[in-house]
Amino acid sequence: MSLWTSAEIAVATGGKASADFVVDGVTFDSREVGPGDLFIALKGETTDGHKFLDQSSERGAAGAVVSVSTPHPHVLVADTMAALNDLGRASRARSAAKIIGVTGSVGKTGTKEALYAALDRVEPGRAHRSLKSYNNHTGVPLSLARMPRATRFGVFEMGMNHAGELAQLTRLVRPHIAIVTAIAPAHSEFFPDESAIADAKGEIFQGLEPGGTAIVPFDSPHRDRLIAAARPYAAEIVTFGLGEGADVHAVDTMRTERGTFVNARLGDEELSYTVSQFGAHWVSNSLALLAAVRAAGGDLAMAGLALAELGGIAGRGARFMAQVGDGEALVIDESYNANPASMAATLAVFADETATRKIAVLGDMYELGEGSRAFHEGLAGPVKASGAQMVILVGEAMGALANALEGEVDFVHVPDAQTARDRLKAMLAPGDAVLIKGSNGVGLATVVAGLAGGKT
């Protein structure tokens, strides 16, 4: 069954179809176009998707959404960005799926991926989720527009940099279940304090469907604030956490070679499972997942199996062995994003690693505003507790951490990812364990790629 027909696209967007066509996918990136896709020609500040209509056609696009006439099969609209939102709304309106929205300062992508894996076990091939980190004003409607007609469960990540953004996104997604994973000083450059961040995250509850469920972190200092935000919109509010008091909580946990073993209680039920990822933050994510699966009518036992088999996510905890000389070194890839909370959590996991030598490559944390220096300095304790014998600090803001580590831990401070990659390759030896983490804009993914690319 096709994803969209040209007639359906025209009705959804108020546009006019130049020809009959059907599409099986949707994208606004001409580089991602595949055979049978719909290409939406968005106009941005620096480029115009209409310039790539020929390229998208050559790559097999079945049709396009355009605001300028073209000889290629298309639906002509007044505004292609508005059309993308309209197509997302139409997809949501026609769907009978149980919809779950996920937000939070940390953990939202991992939780989204784990939820998808758990629900896909319940209805194989009928779970859908937003890909990558498509969680903003363009990514969310695109993810909705891509949702197949027969979807049984839809999981959508929603992010924000400013107040009011989540309110718009959640009214587009209209979730039956809304999760806030955790609150931390991410994007604090745009907020007066962490409470304001909590308020902005709490906007996700405003889009809940009647009878919906709000899932809130019990251990957060902003728990009551989030509950108050959810109360006007949620029929049920469920808390999750690592200790007693939460509706879904961990009775006990134990690290194993395969991950973390968890014995969890959900009301009158108990479930024992293994999370294949390491760290208390992943235990917390798993508890939020269980609360959501139960609220969605899924199978908790299947969810436990999915957590045990969950693979590492590139940039967010994926692990691999890099060839180094005649041996290997463990690489932990956390290169996609960083804020003070996720840095501390990841360094705590690194503390439990056993290796001949531990090396941490840490990049600047962005969007921290006036508190940036203090937040970077504050990593000194977690770095020392991690047992890292060598630290490569990358970027200008990491100068604050360099000063705090002086005389405490061996480190080098370099200006960019390329220099960090060169320094790391020069010092890496068999038996080492390397943690690589920083904000995405630092470019530490190139360091990871250099290690994954072959013998060092």
Side-chain angles (χ1 to χ4, degrees):
M1 185 180 296
S2 63
L3 182 63
W4 294 100
T5 68
S6 56
E8 289 170 334
I9 297 167
V11 169
T13 62
K16 183 177 181 180
S18 69
D20 290 334
F21 59 85
V22 297
V23 300
D24 298 314
V26 184
T27 185
F28 50 65
D29 186 338
S30 61
R31 297 166 297 183
E32 294 182 354
V33 171
D37 281 350
L38 175 71
F39 174 59
I40 300 181
L42 298 182
K43 292 182 177 181
E45 294 181 2
T46 59
T47 189
D48 184 344
H50 293 83
K51 296 179 180 179
F52 304 100
L53 288 167
D54 289 344
Q55 177 182 326
S56 67
S57 180
E58 290 170 1
R59 294 178 64 91
V65 173
V66 299
S67 59
V68 178
S69 187
T70 172
H72 303 295
H74 65 272
V75 173
L76 182 65
V77 299
D79 183 325
T80 53
M81 185 65 227
L84 174 59
N85 278 280
D86 289 338
L87 201 59
R89 288 190 191 92
S91 178
R92 177 65 185 88
R94 75 182 182 183
S95 178
K98 187 71 73 172
I99 303 296
I100 304 171
V102 183
T103 194
S105 302
V106 292
K108 55 185 176 290
T109 300
T111 301
K112 177 257 298 182
E113 290 294 328
L115 256 174
Y116 167 76
L119 295 170
D120 192 55
R121 277 181 172 265
V122 177
E123 292 275 352
R126 296 186 67 189
H128 172 75
R129 92 286 204 190
S130 45
L131 297 179
K132 303 180 182 179
S133 286
Y134 281 168
N135 61 20
N136 62 8
H137 68 288
T138 54
V140 170
L142 176 68
S143 297
L144 282 168
R146 288 173 164 177
M147 182 165 57
R149 301 169 189 267
T151 296
R152 175 75 172 83
F153 299 104
V155 187
F156 297 90
E157 178 181 341
M158 288 177 270
M160 62 86 199
N161 291 332
H162 298 83
E165 291 177 344
L166 264 179
Q168 295 178 7
L169 295 178
T170 191
R171 291 188 177 108
L172 195 63
V173 174
R174 291 167 38 216
H176 300 97
I177 302 161
I179 304 170
V180 177
T181 57
I183 303 298
H187 312 301
S188 56
E189 177 182 358
F190 308 113
F191 296 92
D193 53 35
E194 201 170 280
S195 294
I197 296 173
D199 290 341
K201 294 297 184 184
E203 292 173 12
I204 192 174
F205 304 125
Q206 295 177 20
L208 275 171
E209 289 287 271
T213 301
I215 299 177
V216 173
F218 182 84
D219 302 323
S220 171
H222 307 288
R223 174 193 64 211
D224 294 342
R225 200 176 195 95
L226 291 168
I227 289 174
R231 192 169 285 124
Y233 307 100
E236 182 181 18
I237 299 174
V238 179
T239 60
F240 67 94
L242 298 178
E244 291 187 17
D247 299 316
V248 180
H249 67 270
V251 177
D252 51 61
T253 64
M254 181 177 66
R255 179 179 170 124
T256 71
E257 291 184 359
R258 297 173 53 197
T260 305
F261 176 79
V262 184
N263 185 30
R265 181 175 290 279
L266 302 84
D268 295 331
E269 298 179 82
E270 281 199 14
L271 180 69
S272 297
Y273 59 94
T274 296
V275 185
S276 63
Q277 310 300 308
F278 296 95
H281 58 300
W282 260 106
V283 174
S284 181
N285 293 346
S286 75
L287 296 168
L289 176 150
L290 294 181
V293 168
R294 185 172 65 169
D299 188 309
L300 291 175
M302 289 286 195
L305 291 173
L307 285 165
E309 297 177 1
L310 188 67
I313 304 170
R316 293 182 169 88
R319 294 169 172 237
F320 64 90
M321 301 303 296
Q323 189 70 33
V324 181
D326 294 328
E328 292 181 318
L330 170 66
V331 179
I332 304 171
D333 175 15
E334 290 274 1
S335 62
Y336 186 80
N337 209 350
N339 58 51
S342 66
M343 277 282 199
T346 303
L347 286 164
V349 173
F350 198 44
D352 291 330
E353 293 297 333
T354 301
T356 304
R357 178 180 56 166
K358 295 197 283 188
I359 303 171
V361 182
L362 306 178
D364 286 351
M365 300 180 291
Y366 290 169
E367 297 182 352
L368 295 179
E370 294 180 358
S372 178
R373 182 175 184 82
F375 283 127
H376 283 84
E377 286 177 343
L379 294 178
V383 168
K384 288 185 281 188
S386 76
Q389 289 108 327
M390 169 56 71
V391 183
I392 301 176
L393 303 174
V394 189
E396 182 179 355
M398 276 295 170
L401 179 55
N403 291 334
L405 291 178
E406 191 73 50
E408 300 285 342
V409 178
D410 289 336
F411 70 87
V412 294
H413 185 202
V414 300
D416 52 45
Q418 179 62 54
T419 308
R421 184 173 69 175
D422 294 342
R423 295 296 292 268
L424 179 61
K425 282 195 170 186
M427 70 174 67
L428 200 60
D432 287 345
V434 184
L435 167 65
I436 302 172
K437 186 168 182 66
S439 286
N440 192 40
V442 180
L444 294 185
T446 62
V447 180
V448 176
L451 296 174
K455 193 169 184 177
T456 299

